[in-house]
Amino acid sequence: MAAGRAYAGVPAAQRRALRRAALVAAGLDIVGTQGSARLTVAGLCARAGLNERYFYESFASTDEVLGAVLDDVLAELTSAIVTAVAAAPQDTRAKARAAIAAAIELLTDDDRKTRVVFAEPLAAPALMARRAEVARAFVALIVGQAQEFYGPATALRVGSWGDFGAAYVLGGLAETMTAWVRGDLAISRDELIDRATDLFVVVGEHVVGTASS
Amino acid sequence: MAAGRAYAGVPAAQRRALRRAALVAAGLDIVGTQGSARLTVAGLCARAGLNERYFYESFASTDEVLGAVLDDVLAELTSAIVTAVAAAPQDTRAKARAAIAAAIELLTDDDRKTRVVFAEPLAAPALMARRAEVARAFVALIVGQAQEFYGPATALRVGSWGDFGAAYVLGGLAETMTAWVRGDLAISRDELIDRATDLFVVVGEHVVGTASS
DNA sequence: AGAATTTGGCAAGACGTCATGCCAGAATTG
DNA sequence: CAATTCTGGCATGACGTCTTGCCAAATTCT
């Protein structure tokens, strides 16, 4: 009952965590390649190399797996962006480029993640709310970053224009990234990053200029 | 066999078409409010007020219904855009605003259509390919319109920058529109249209300016 | 070595959906 | 009015998934 014996030198709690991680990794694979509709308990456990019984040890439904997969990728993404921005020189364009490059490199190195972040959340009702939260969080992050360059006073002046511009930039980045992964943009990844940075700066300057005038 | 007797004064072919239309309308309702995952034969026919048997008269699978629903909304959308652009004065900004206003008004008047156009296609594998086609078509439409204002010679100079800019604008429009429908943007619909037009023009000018320099 | 625990494989009933078929009532044609 | 055709309701067998439970093999602790 109060079990918890070590197995193969690994304590019980850690084994649980490993199994959960294996399920999430398998979930990324299935959702990222076949879509959330194909995510079944049996298929997930088979790919994770685990018994079906262990599914219910960590999750109550496949929707929970979906959420965990998304959270996993988003945590990786925000971490990559934050460290990249911190390491970049104190310059608007340099900061923007660092953030965009970090995001694009992470997501295009593994197009399963592109799909999980940009496509699936819109489909699965379970992720709709989370997707909205994430979008708001990124918008807030962009707006916050912008304030560092244009001065905190701009915040008041920018107002809803800032939210609009941030959402616009987020959407543009998402669409161009998925189009590029799909092979519809005949440019290199570095060009993709450069142009995304260009438009980020252009939109940002227009927003600040318009809102403060 | 060679049937086709009129019923209630309506010939057979027209009755078939009416039933099909009822199914597509019910499909828009279900997909637009609950998502494509909830689209089942029984539920669809119940909402359409039709017998399940008639489903197979017009469709072979629920995926086909999904495609028909998307096609229906997209046809409406392109029609609205084309007529609005044609009626607008010969001015870059006026044309852009007319197109954007037509799209935004149509899609936000009925947020089921917003979801069908922007959210579901990414999720349902059956619509993935179509979504890509549609994106390409809209990109081509935007690029084509741009050539009318900046002159056909720009086409060669713009090249892949044009595709990139068009995809960016499309994504920005999609994200801001869904955010607005969600209630995350504290602006009026007219402001939404104005700002979307602003950024459309700004991005367009930057693309032409950069690519031709 | 022996007892206890962990693990994987498998089976079973329950549930929802699919695709088709049958039947009786309603409407139309001759 | 009789025959034909259309329509709606219902039922069926098949299929895939879910969730729980049992059993034998593997591994660990005493």
Side-chain angles (χ1 to χ4, degrees):
Chain A
M1 192 96 274
R5 176 186 288 179
Y7 213 74
V10 189
Q14 192 175 341
R15 289 201 311 278
R16 268 184 54 117
L18 283 173
R19 283 192 290 261
R20 197 193 133 96
L23 286 173
V24 173
L28 169 62
D29 203 36
I30 293 174
V31 176
T33 55
Q34 302 178 279
S36 55
R38 301 260 179 182
L39 188 65
T40 67
V41 175
L44 183 71
C45 294
R47 188 169 294 256
L50 286 175
N51 193 290
E52 295 183 34
R53 185 158 44 88
Y54 291 117
F55 175 85
Y56 303 96
E57 177 191 56
S58 293
F59 301 102
S61 68
T62 52
D63 273 359
E64 280 189 17
V65 179
L66 223 50
V69 169
L70 178 61
D71 283 346
D72 221 44
V73 178
L74 287 177
E76 207 182 347
L77 183 61
T78 51
S79 162
I81 292 176
V82 167
T83 58
V85 169
Q90 285 291 339
D91 167 64
T92 308
R93 190 188 164 84
K95 292 278 188 194
R97 194 185 196 287
I100 291 169
I104 288 181
E105 281 165 10
L106 176 70
L107 293 180
T108 59
D109 273 348
D110 186 347
D111 58 356
R112 299 173 308 169
K113 296 177 183 172
T114 314
R115 178 163 181 179
V116 167
V117 171
F118 291 127
E120 292 300 328
L122 295 168
L127 298 184
M128 268 287 215
R130 201 182 306 255
R131 141 95 199 189
E133 283 176 34
V134 170
R136 283 193 211 100
F138 270 86
V139 166
L141 191 144
I142 295 171
V143 170
Q145 282 290 330
Q147 288 176 18
E148 289 193 21
F149 306 120
Y150 299 111
T154 51
L156 295 175
R157 285 181 285 137
V158 170
S160 65
W161 242 116
D163 291 341
F164 178 85
Y168 199 92
V169 163
L170 179 61
L173 212 49
E175 182 66 34
T176 49
M177 210 180 298
T178 51
W180 187 83
V181 168
R182 205 166 53 220
D184 281 354
L185 296 181
I187 58 179
S188 71
R189 195 168 71 170
D190 279 343
E191 285 176 304
L192 176 68
I193 295 171
D194 282 337
R195 294 177 184 181
T197 305
D198 271 8
L199 289 191
F200 183 93
V201 172
V202 166
V203 169
E205 287 175 353
H206 178 80
V207 167
V208 173
T210 306
S212 63
S213 68
Chain B
M1 193 97 274
R5 175 185 291 180
Y7 212 74
V10 189
Q14 192 175 341
R15 290 201 311 276
R16 267 185 55 119
L18 282 173
R19 284 192 291 261
R20 196 194 134 99
L23 287 172
V24 173
L28 168 62
D29 203 37
I30 294 175
V31 175
T33 56
Q34 303 177 280
S36 55
R38 301 260 180 187
L39 187 66
T40 66
V41 175
L44 184 71
C45 294
R47 188 169 293 257
L50 285 176
N51 192 289
E52 293 185 35
R53 185 157 45 87
Y54 291 117
F55 175 86
Y56 303 97
E57 177 191 56
S58 293
F59 301 102
S61 68
T62 54
D63 275 358
E64 279 189 16
V65 178
L66 224 50
V69 169
L70 178 60
D71 283 346
D72 222 44
V73 178
L74 287 177
E76 207 181 347
L77 183 61
T78 50
S79 162
I81 292 177
V82 167
T83 58
V85 169
Q90 286 291 341
D91 166 62
T92 308
R93 189 187 165 85
K95 291 280 188 194
R97 194 184 195 286
I100 291 170
I104 289 182
E105 281 165 12
L106 176 70
L107 293 180
T108 59
D109 273 347
D110 186 347
D111 57 356
R112 299 172 307 169
K113 295 177 184 172
T114 314
R115 178 162 180 180
V116 166
V117 170
F118 291 128
E120 291 301 325
L122 295 167
L127 298 184
M128 269 286 216
R130 202 182 305 254
R131 141 95 199 185
E133 282 175 33
V134 171
R136 282 191 212 103
F138 270 86
V139 166
L141 190 146
I142 296 172
V143 170
Q145 282 291 330
Q147 289 176 19
E148 289 192 20
F149 306 121
Y150 299 112
T154 51
L156 295 174
R157 284 181 285 138
V158 170
S160 65
W161 242 116
D163 291 341
F164 177 85
Y168 199 93
V169 163
L170 178 62
L173 211 49
E175 181 67 33
T176 50
M177 209 180 299
T178 51
W180 187 84
V181 168
R182 207 164 52 220
D184 281 353
L185 296 181
I187 57 179
S188 70
R189 197 169 71 170
D190 279 343
E191 286 177 305
L192 176 67
I193 295 172
D194 282 336
R195 294 178 184 180
T197 305
D198 271 8
L199 291 190
F200 183 93
V201 172
V202 166
V203 169
E205 286 175 353
H206 178 80
V207 167
V208 173
T210 307
S212 63
S213 67

